[in-house]
Amino acid sequence: MNLILETLFSPNTITATIRVLTLLIYGTMAAVINVTSGINNIGIEGILLSSALVAVVGSWATQSWLVGTLCAVVWGMAISSLFGYLVMKLKTNNILCGLAINMFAPGATVFLLSALTGQKGSSISLASKSAPKLSLPLLREIPYVGILFEDYSLFTYLAVFVVLFVIIMIRKTPIGMRIRAVGLNPNAASSVGIRVNRVRYTAFLMSGAIAGLGGAYLTMGYFSSFTRDMTAGIGFMCIAACNMGGATPLGGLLSAILFAFANVFSNVMQSLQMSVDLINGFPYMITVVALFIIGYVNYRKARKAAAKK
């Protein structure tokens, strides 16, 4: 038991948790913006996966990680805008549209990977670039918290600014207030002159850009190449973190921390010689349990509110 606790709170485990958390932050913040605008986009999984390959291709073609990142961001914005067009203009069901994106991404990425490399499993043959790691030597010497300033990818530090951006944008800026108003009651927002579709398109563009950054981090920060189906359901976990956190940036961040720790804990459980299937499914079991608890709490609150009327 002591060995397990030491492993859970070891520097290596904390570092691994931060690396997983970085990806969850990008996906969760993208989901928060979508839900706040009133339309849930479950296609974040597909955007993360496809953006990851676009980042690799862009950095390989230009030999620049920055250009690869920009390509992933533009791609994420394009797919998210397409989702908005299908849902708002063509009145497509948002769940079916999101599922279509998630089903399209695995096949499209394998096709493109095969066309470029002749392989269907990995982009290892493409000499793509990785984002630089940021070293903060003075802060690394601080006891206990120095582990937070190890040589992490630049994307990890950028994720902190993404959280701050989403918090400030939603709470303090005019566009954020419009997004909230549209999400709460689009008819009321329209009656006071707010152009609902334009506001939602803006939200989709921001969401797609953040998800694109997450895809770029996946192949240029977390890993150094693209692997088939490498997201492995992380996009759905981001949506769960968003919902568990009440679709707020801070709540989503706290939920993402929980899921990141659960993901790393599943690796620690391997030392117990437990079933591999059980170990791999542990983060998703945590997700289901957490959503059940949140759903039950909201149900109780709704019943109490109805009883008072």
Side-chain angles (χ1 to χ4, degrees):
M1 186 65 181
N2 291 335
L3 178 61
I4 296 175
L5 292 176
E6 290 177 3
T7 305
L8 278 176
F9 297 100
S10 68
N12 290 337
T13 302
I14 295 174
T15 300
T17 302
I18 291 175
R19 293 178 69 237
V20 175
L21 176 62
T22 301
L23 179 58
L24 285 171
I25 284 177
Y26 285 116
T28 302
M29 292 303 109
V32 166
I33 295 176
N34 282 327
V35 174
T36 304
S37 72
I39 299 179
N40 191 5
N41 180 8
I42 66 170
I44 288 177
E45 170 83 5
I47 297 176
L48 287 174
L49 181 62
S50 57
S51 297
L53 180 57
V54 169
V56 167
V57 174
S59 66
W60 163 70
T62 63
Q63 289 299 291
S64 170
W65 71 269
L66 184 57
V67 174
T69 300
L70 292 175
C71 290
V73 169
V74 172
W75 177 260
M77 294 171 68
I79 295 298
S80 191
S81 297
L82 175 62
F83 171 85
Y85 176 80
L86 293 172
V87 172
M88 293 185 294
K89 188 70 175 178
L90 302 184
K91 305 302 180 183
T92 307
N93 182 277
N94 67 307
I95 301 298
L96 294 179
C97 188
L99 286 174
I101 293 175
N102 291 336
M103 295 174 67
F104 166 79
T109 52
V110 170
F111 174 79
L112 180 59
L113 194 62
S114 177
L116 291 174
T117 67
Q119 301 175 348
K120 296 183 179 180
S122 173
S123 68
I124 194 72
S125 61
L126 297 179
S128 57
K129 299 295 182 179
S130 296
K133 293 185 177 181
L134 188 61
S135 179
L136 303 173
L138 295 179
L139 296 176
R140 288 174 57 184
E141 303 301 324
I142 302 176
Y144 302 108
V145 298
I147 188 65
L148 300 177
F149 302 99
E150 288 288 342
D151 293 336
Y152 295 109
S153 169
L154 186 62
F155 284 104
T156 298
Y157 296 98
L158 181 60
V160 177
F161 290 99
V162 167
V163 174
L164 294 176
F165 165 76
V166 175
I167 292 174
I168 295 172
M169 184 274 295
I170 289 179
R171 293 295 177 185
K172 301 296 183 181
T173 66
I175 184 59
M177 294 178 184
R178 290 189 180 96
I179 290 174
R180 288 160 53 199
V182 165
L184 289 172
N185 193 325
N187 293 328
S190 179
S191 68
V192 296
I194 296 177
R195 303 184 67 172
V196 174
N197 283 358
R198 177 177 291 184
V199 171
R200 282 178 168 167
Y201 272 124
T202 303
F204 289 138
L205 286 172
M206 289 189 288
S207 170
I210 293 174
L213 283 173
Y217 165 71
L218 192 57
T219 49
M220 296 195 299
Y222 198 163
F223 301 106
S224 58
S225 63
F226 179 86
T227 304
R228 179 177 182 174
D229 297 331
M230 66 189 307
T231 48
I234 201 76
F236 295 107
M237 196 175 293
C238 292
I239 295 172
C242 167
N243 292 327
M244 181 177 171
T248 62
L250 185 57
L253 174 62
L254 295 176
S255 300
I257 292 174
L258 172 63
F259 292 152
F261 186 78
N263 192 289
V264 174
F265 180 65
S266 66
N267 296 326
V268 175
M269 288 169 60
Q270 294 180 16
S271 61
L272 300 178
Q273 297 182 349
M274 299 179 68
S275 169
V276 174
D277 294 331
L278 179 62
I279 292 172
N280 292 334
F282 181 75
Y284 304 99
M285 289 188 288
I286 291 293
T287 303
V288 171
V289 172
L291 289 177
F292 174 80
I293 293 174
I294 294 298
Y296 180 75
V297 170
N298 291 336
Y299 169 74
R300 296 287 296 178
K301 287 181 179 179
R303 288 197 61 181
K304 288 183 180 179
K308 291 180 181 180
K309 292 182 180 179

